[in-house]
């Protein structure tokens, strides 16, 4: 039943209830009327009222009947509307069935199209996966071939090394055989010499007794006089021999060595940068100094605590000084302050942000400097940690000479020398280029930079020839290979050339004074002059006290004492001048 049917039923029930209630009221009124008539027939007014009520009830019953008729008519119309609604509902259900069937058909079509599209996409994915797999297989095959070729090359190198080792073993065996033969020969010669010495001892004893008889001197007195004479003569002959040997060596070895060194130095044209422990930053105006200091000095305190660099603000117009012993830290501080000045926003939080940015920028600059140096020298396959340490040397100086540029220059000089002498040029360049790598850690690790650098090179897989050249370039370990000696020579050439290095005025003056004191303390010295920034010392001697042989001995003694007592870059030439002047007056 619909809602309209329910409304009609409720209306009929209400009307029926009203009729029943009217009839009950009428019956009750009639009973009261009969009761009144039985009790008192004189109450006519009450009877009239009861009749009036009955009439009213009858009227209400008639009205209720009329309403029931109206309700029945409305129910009939509602039933007709319900039938029409049922017909419309049937038509709607038929239309819904048709639409549903059309929807099913369209859904089947869409599903079939989706199946076909999915199959096409799956085929494309399978094709792409197949192509990708083929490319990866080809790449793996190429990599495998390259690795196989590398293994073959390494095997060939290992075979060549084994062959060289075998040849070296054969040479050593042959050398031991020759040494054994020479030992046997020496033993026989020693026996012959012992016999001869015994015979000579007898002859000398007879001669000694004869000489004592003839000269009237004892053997001890004669021996003392003879030893003194022989000693003086031996000293003179030794000095003459040394002078001749030195002259002959200078005519051959010194000329050749000078030619190699000069040629190597002339072919190197590297610039030299002199740096110190203080950097200067120019400001756009003096007002910026107040902003750098900040309220109650908070900005400058934050800057120094974050960067570790001392910021010096004085009366210098439009400039501030940054002081720090660590050049890398000083450069980071300089870049930080420069960016803060350009930005204009200076406060503690901003200082920390800009410091991180500047630190990353300096790291990038160090890595780039190391890569450029490696490309310049021609070294490959260097461990990344060694490359990072080399980059830090971009801001490190030694006697004012940039250490990284010094390494590049030393490597070129060593390579040229090795090429002239027919040695292994790449190994020689590698040893010379890494000889000062320990200076990157001298403020972090205890010990000399030569030994620190050798430990680093050994740790990161460098060859023993390179490691030995590094640890021996300052004679802390005695050089045992030609690479170590050439590394020392190239280091001295790079650091000792004019203009390469500088030192503090106080140390420079003290070194010159000590050089002059050493020469002036010798017997027979008249005047001493230190020349060419301490690289040459000229000693004037009195000709009556020292002869030519004594002058050579004096020059050697002065040079040896300077080597033992002083530390200096390069070398110092000692020149002894002996002049004989004869003056005569013509009257």
């Amino acid at each position: 039943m619909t809602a309209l049917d329910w409304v009609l039923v409720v209306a009929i029930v209400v009307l029926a209830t009203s009729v029943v209630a009217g009839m009950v009221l009428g019956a009750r009124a009639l009973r009261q009327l009969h009761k009144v008539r039985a009790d008192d027939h004189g109450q006519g007014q009450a009877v009239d009222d009861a009749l009036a009520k009955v009439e009213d009830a009858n009227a209400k019953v008639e009205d209720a009947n009329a309403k029931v008729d109206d309700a029945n008519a409305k129910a009939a119309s509602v039933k007709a509307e319900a039938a029409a609604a049922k017909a419309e509902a049937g038509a709607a259900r038929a239309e819904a069935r048709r639409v549903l069937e059309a929807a099913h058909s369209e859904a089947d079509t869409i599903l079939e199209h989706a199946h076909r599209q999915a199959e096409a996409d799956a085929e494309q994915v399978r094709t792409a996966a197949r192509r990708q797999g083929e490319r990866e297989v080809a790449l793996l095959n190429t990599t495998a071939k390259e690795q196989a070729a590398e293994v073959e090359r390494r095997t060939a190198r290992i075979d060549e090394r084994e062959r060289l080792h075998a040849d070296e073993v054969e040479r050593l065996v042959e050398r031991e055989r020759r040494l054994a033969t020479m030992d046997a020969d020496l033993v026989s010669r020693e026996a012959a010499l012992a016999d001869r010495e015994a015979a000579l001892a007898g002859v000398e004893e007879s001669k000694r007794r004869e000489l004592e008889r003839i000269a009237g001197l004892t053997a001890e007195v004669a021996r003392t006089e003879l030893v003194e004479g022989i000693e003086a003569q031996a000293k003179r002959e030794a000095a003459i021999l040394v002078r001749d040997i030195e002259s002959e060596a200078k005519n051959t070895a010194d000329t050749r060595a000078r030619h190699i060194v000069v040629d190597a130095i002339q072919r190197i044209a590297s610039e030299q940068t002199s740096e110190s422990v203080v950097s200067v930053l120019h400001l756009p105006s003096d007002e910026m100094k107040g902003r750098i200091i900040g309220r109650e000095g908070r900005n400058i305190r934050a800057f120094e605590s974050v960067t570790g660099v001392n910021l010096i603000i004085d009366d210098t117009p439009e400039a501030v000084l940054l002081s720090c012993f660590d050049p890398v830290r000083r450069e980071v501080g300089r870049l930080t302050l420069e960016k803060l000045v350009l930005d204009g926003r200076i406060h503690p939080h901003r200082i920390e942000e800009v410091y991180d940015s500047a630190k990353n920028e300096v790291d990038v600059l160090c890595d780039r400097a190391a890569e450029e140096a490696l490309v310049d020298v021609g070294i490959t396959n260097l461990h990344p940690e060694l490359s990072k340490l080399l980059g830090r040397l971009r801001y490190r100086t030694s006697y004012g000479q940039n250490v990284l540029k010094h390494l590049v220059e030393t490597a070129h000089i060593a390579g040229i020398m090795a090429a002239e002498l027919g040695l292994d040029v790449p190994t020689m360049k590698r040893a010379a280029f890494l000889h000062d790598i320990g200076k990157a850690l001298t403020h972090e690790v205890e010990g000399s930079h030569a030994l620190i650098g050798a430990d680093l090179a050994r740790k990161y897989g460098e060859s023993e020839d390179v490691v030995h050249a590094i640890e021996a370039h300052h004679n802390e370990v005695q050089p045992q290979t030609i690479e170590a000696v050439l590394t020392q020579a190239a280091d001295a050439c790079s650091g000792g050339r004019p203009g390469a290095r500088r030192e503090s005025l106080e140390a420079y003056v003290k070194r010159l004074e000590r050089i002059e004191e050493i020469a002036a303390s010798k017997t027979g010295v008249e005047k001493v002059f230190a020349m060419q920034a301490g690289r040459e010392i000229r000693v004037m001697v009195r000709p009556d006290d020292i002869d030519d042989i004594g002058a050579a001995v004096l020059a050697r003694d002065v040079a040896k004492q300077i080597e033992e007592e002083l530390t200096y870059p390069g070398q110092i030439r000692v020149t002894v001048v002996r002049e004989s002047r004869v003056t005569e007056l013509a009257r």
Side-chain angles (χ1 to χ4, degrees):
M1 295 176 66
T2 62
L4 184 58
D5 294 338
W6 283 106
V7 171
L8 292 175
V9 172
V10 170
I12 292 170
V13 171
V14 170
L15 290 174
T17 305
S18 299
V19 171
V20 172
M23 292 176 69
V24 171
L25 291 174
R28 187 178 294 173
L30 289 174
R31 283 195 303 268
Q32 290 179 358
L33 181 61
H34 289 302
K35 185 177 182 180
V36 170
R37 283 178 180 177
D39 294 335
D40 189 4
H41 295 285
Q43 297 179 357
Q45 185 66 32
V47 173
D48 292 335
D49 293 335
L51 291 174
K53 289 181 180 179
V54 170
E55 289 175 359
D56 291 335
N58 291 330
K60 289 181 180 179
V61 169
E62 289 176 358
D63 291 335
N65 291 329
K67 289 181 180 179
V68 168
D69 293 335
D70 292 336
N72 290 330
K74 289 181 180 179
S77 65
V78 167
K79 287 181 180 179
E81 291 176 1
K86 287 181 181 179
E88 291 178 0
R93 281 195 293 271
E95 182 67 20
R97 277 194 223 94
R98 186 183 63 78
V99 172
L100 184 60
E101 290 175 358
H104 280 299
S105 176
E106 186 176 359
D108 293 337
T109 304
I110 294 172
L111 185 60
E112 184 178 0
H113 182 269
H115 280 302
R116 289 198 297 270
Q117 184 67 28
E119 290 177 357
D121 294 341
E123 184 63 27
Q124 291 180 358
V125 170
R126 284 194 294 271
T127 304
R130 190 182 304 108
R131 292 177 180 173
Q132 181 68 22
E134 291 175 355
R135 285 197 296 270
E136 291 181 357
V137 170
L139 180 61
L140 290 174
N141 291 333
T142 304
T143 305
K145 290 179 181 179
E146 292 178 355
Q147 291 179 353
E150 180 66 20
V151 170
E152 291 178 358
R153 288 194 296 271
R154 290 185 179 180
T155 304
R157 288 198 296 269
I158 291 173
D159 294 339
E160 180 65 19
R161 288 184 180 179
E162 289 179 353
R163 187 183 63 78
L164 293 176
H165 286 321
D167 295 341
E168 184 68 21
V169 169
E170 291 179 359
R171 286 195 296 271
L172 291 175
V173 170
E174 182 63 25
R175 185 176 180 183
E176 289 179 357
R177 189 181 300 110
R178 289 198 302 269
L179 289 175
T181 305
M182 292 175 65
D183 288 340
D185 190 13
L186 288 174
V187 170
S188 61
R189 288 186 180 184
E190 287 178 356
L193 287 174
D195 297 338
R196 187 174 181 183
E197 286 178 357
L200 289 175
V203 174
E204 288 179 357
E205 181 63 22
S206 61
K207 286 183 178 180
R208 184 182 62 77
R209 287 194 297 269
E210 185 66 20
L211 288 174
E212 288 179 356
R213 186 183 62 80
I214 295 173
L217 297 174
T218 63
E220 294 297 331
V221 175
R223 185 181 294 108
T224 302
E225 293 179 357
L226 183 62
V227 167
E228 290 177 355
I230 293 175
E231 184 179 358
Q233 184 179 359
K235 286 184 178 180
R236 186 174 184 84
E237 291 178 354
I240 294 173
L241 181 62
V242 169
R243 184 182 62 185
D244 294 340
I245 293 173
E246 288 180 351
S247 177
E248 183 179 358
K250 287 180 180 180
N251 291 332
T252 57
D254 190 49
T255 302
R256 175 64 176 165
R258 186 180 296 111
H259 171 73
I260 293 174
V261 172
V262 170
D263 181 64
I265 294 177
Q266 287 178 347
R267 289 166 63 181
I268 302 298
S270 61
E271 63 180 7
Q272 177 58 41
T273 303
S274 179
E275 301 176 358
S276 62
V277 297
V278 176
S279 297
V280 180
L281 180 66
H282 296 283
L283 303 177
S285 64
D286 285 337
E287 296 178 355
M288 187 60 68
K289 293 182 179 180
R291 300 177 65 181
I292 293 173
I293 295 173
R295 182 179 300 175
E296 298 179 357
R298 66 171 187 172
N299 290 344
I300 190 171
R301 287 197 302 271
F303 179 85
E304 292 180 348
S305 63
V306 171
T307 62
V309 178
N310 292 328
L311 189 59
I312 303 173
I313 301 178
D314 52 14
D315 296 335
T316 305
E318 298 180 355
V320 294
L321 300 179
L322 295 95
S323 175
C324 181
F325 73 95
D326 189 343
V328 178
R329 194 190 304 167
R330 187 174 68 251
E331 180 65 14
V332 174
R334 189 189 67 80
L335 284 177
T336 302
L337 187 59
E338 183 178 1
K339 290 184 177 182
L340 289 172
V341 170
L342 291 176
D343 186 28
R345 295 176 297 167
I346 304 177
H347 51 82
H349 182 67
R350 181 62 180 167
I351 290 172
E352 294 178 359
E353 294 178 352
V354 176
Y355 170 74
D356 294 335
S357 174
K359 188 176 181 181
N360 294 331
E361 184 176 346
V362 170
D363 291 338
V364 172
L365 292 176
C366 290
D367 294 340
R368 189 179 303 165
E371 293 175 0
E372 292 176 355
L374 290 172
V375 171
D376 189 7
V377 178
I379 293 178
T380 57
N381 298 328
L382 189 68
H383 197 280
E385 292 298 328
L386 291 179
S387 179
K388 289 183 180 179
L389 293 176
L390 286 171
R392 295 173 63 179
L393 295 178
R394 179 178 187 268
Y395 300 103
R396 179 69 188 268
T397 60
S398 176
Y399 290 98
Q401 185 181 24
N402 186 278
V403 176
L404 185 58
K405 293 181 180 180
H406 165 63
L407 294 181
V408 174
E409 183 177 316
T410 304
H412 286 308
I413 294 174
I416 295 171
M417 289 182 176
E420 292 287 339
L421 297 175
L423 302 176
D424 187 2
V425 175
T427 302
M428 194 64 252
K429 278 188 173 183
R430 201 176 188 94
F433 185 68
L434 296 176
H435 78 278
D436 275 346
I437 187 68
K439 288 185 177 180
L441 294 177
T442 51
H443 64 287
E444 299 176 3
V445 181
E446 293 184 358
S448 65
H449 71 275
L451 298 180
I452 295 173
D455 292 338
L456 284 173
R458 187 179 293 109
K459 176 181 178 181
Y460 293 115
E462 295 296 328
S463 63
E464 284 300 322
D465 292 337
V466 174
V467 173
H468 177 66
I470 294 173
E471 66 185 0
H473 78 275
H474 280 318
N475 288 320
E476 292 172 326
V477 175
Q478 288 300 319
Q480 302 293 334
T481 61
I482 187 65
E483 288 83 1
V485 176
L486 281 185
T487 300
Q488 288 182 335
D491 184 25
C493 290
S494 174
R497 65 178 175 81
R501 294 183 174 182
R502 62 176 175 81
E503 55 186 339
S504 64
L505 179 62
E506 183 180 359
Y508 168 73
V509 172
K510 288 183 178 179
R511 179 162 59 84
L512 295 188
E513 291 177 351
R514 181 55 186 160
I515 289 173
E516 292 183 352
E517 288 177 0
I518 291 174
S521 63
K522 303 298 180 182
T523 304
V525 175
E526 183 177 4
K527 296 178 182 179
V528 179
F529 300 103
M531 308 178 66
Q532 296 184 4
R535 300 187 182 277
E536 181 178 359
I537 178 173
R538 293 189 181 179
V539 183
M540 307 296 181
V541 299
R542 291 185 289 272
D544 296 337
D545 298 338
I546 298 178
D547 56 5
D548 292 340
I549 305 301
V553 174
L554 176 62
R556 186 177 297 103
D557 293 341
V558 172
K560 185 176 181 181
Q561 188 173 354
I562 290 175
E563 290 178 356
E564 293 175 351
E565 296 186 9
L566 299 181
T567 301
Y568 49 89
Q571 61 184 8
I572 298 176
R573 176 181 297 175
V574 179
T575 303
V576 177
V577 180
R578 178 178 179 272
E579 291 183 344
S580 297
R581 295 186 181 183
V582 177
T583 303
E584 185 66 32
L585 297 177
R587 297 182 178 84

